[in-house]
C-alpha cells in the first residue's frame, strides 16, 4: 500500500512548497491555504521514488521542491491514469485529472540545474471529490 510521506503548500504559484503537519482538502476546491486551490490542478501528487531519483542528481532536493502537495511513497505502484479515483486516509477522495505538465517558462530551477525534471512525466494532478484532512502516514489506494 502507498502512504503519504509529506504534505506541502505554497503561498504563490511557481514556487517550491514547504512541508506542514497536515493539509485540509475541500471538495471541488483543493487544499486550503495553497496557491493552486481553486485552479484546474487542485491537488498535485508526486512519487517519493521520483524525488529520490532526482536527489541522486542534486542532493539538496526535498519533498515540495517540485511544487507537489503530496509526496507519496509507493505512488508509482498504483499505475494511475486520468479518471482513476484515489482514497487518501479514510475521508479524502481524489479523481486523477492529468498526468504530467509542462515546466514553467524555460524549465523549472531543477530542470535548469540538472537537465531533467520529474513533473513533466510523473506529476499527478487531481480534483477533490470528498474533502478531509491529510497527514504524513495516511494510506493512499485506488478507490
Amino acid at each position: 500500500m502507498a502512504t503519504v510521506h509529506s504534505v506541502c503548500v505554497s503561498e504563490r504559484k511557481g514556487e517550491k512548497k514547504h512541508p506542514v503537519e497536515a493539509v485540509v482538502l475541500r471538495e471541488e476546491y483543493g487544499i486550503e491555504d495553497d496557491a493552486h486551490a481553486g485552479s484546474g490542478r487542485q491537488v498535485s501528487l508526486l512519487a517519493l521514488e521520483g524525488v529520490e531519483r532526482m536527489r541522486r542528481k542534486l542532493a539538496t532536493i526535498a519533498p515540495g521542491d517540485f511544487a507537489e502537495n503530496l509526496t507519496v511513497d509507493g505512488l508509482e505502484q498504483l499505475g494511475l491514469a486520468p479518471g482513476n479515483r484515489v482514497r487518501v486516509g479514510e475521508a479524502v477522495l481524489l479523481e486523477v485529472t492529468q498526468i504530467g505538465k509542462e515546466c514553467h517558462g524555460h524549465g523549472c530551477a531543477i530542470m535548469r540545474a540538472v537537465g531533467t525534471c520529474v513533473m513533466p512525466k510523473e506529476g499527478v494532478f487531481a480534483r477533490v471529490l470528498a474533502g478531509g484532512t491529510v497527514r504524513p502516514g495516511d494510506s493512499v489506494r485506488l478507490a
Side-chain angles (χ1 to χ4, degrees):
M1 177 178 8
T3 57
V4 175
H5 175 268
S6 60
V7 295
C8 303
V9 296
S10 65
E11 289 73 35
R12 291 186 299 273
K13 291 181 180 180
E15 66 182 23
K16 295 178 184 181
K17 296 189 184 292
H18 59 275
V20 293
E21 286 185 27
V23 290
V24 176
L25 285 77
R26 288 190 8 221
E27 184 177 325
E28 295 299 342
Y29 179 71
I31 294 177
E32 290 181 2
D33 301 321
D34 184 68
H36 288 95
S39 74
R41 295 193 298 242
Q42 295 175 6
V43 179
S44 58
L45 301 89
L46 184 62
L48 178 62
E49 298 82 358
V51 174
E52 289 172 346
R53 279 193 306 278
M54 293 299 294
R55 191 178 289 143
R56 289 192 286 275
K57 297 175 187 278
L58 183 63
T60 58
I61 289 176
D65 284 357
F66 296 96
E68 79 278 9
N69 296 116
L70 307 178
T71 308
V72 179
D73 188 5
L75 185 68
E76 292 176 348
Q77 297 169 352
L78 297 179
L80 297 176
N84 286 153
R85 291 185 174 190
V86 178
R87 177 78 57 195
V88 182
E90 294 304 314
V92 173
L93 181 63
L94 305 175
E95 181 179 65
V96 175
T97 57
Q98 178 181 337
I99 305 289
K101 75 170 196 86
E102 289 186 36
C103 276
H104 299 283
H106 299 293
C108 65
I110 294 170
M111 172 89 72
R112 290 191 303 273
V114 300
T116 188
C117 179
V118 293
M119 287 305 277
K121 292 186 178 179
E122 298 179 34
V124 176
F125 300 91
R127 68 186 189 115
V128 181
L129 300 178
T133 301
V134 174
R135 292 178 176 80
D138 284 350
S139 64
V140 179
R141 60 200 180 285
L142 289 172

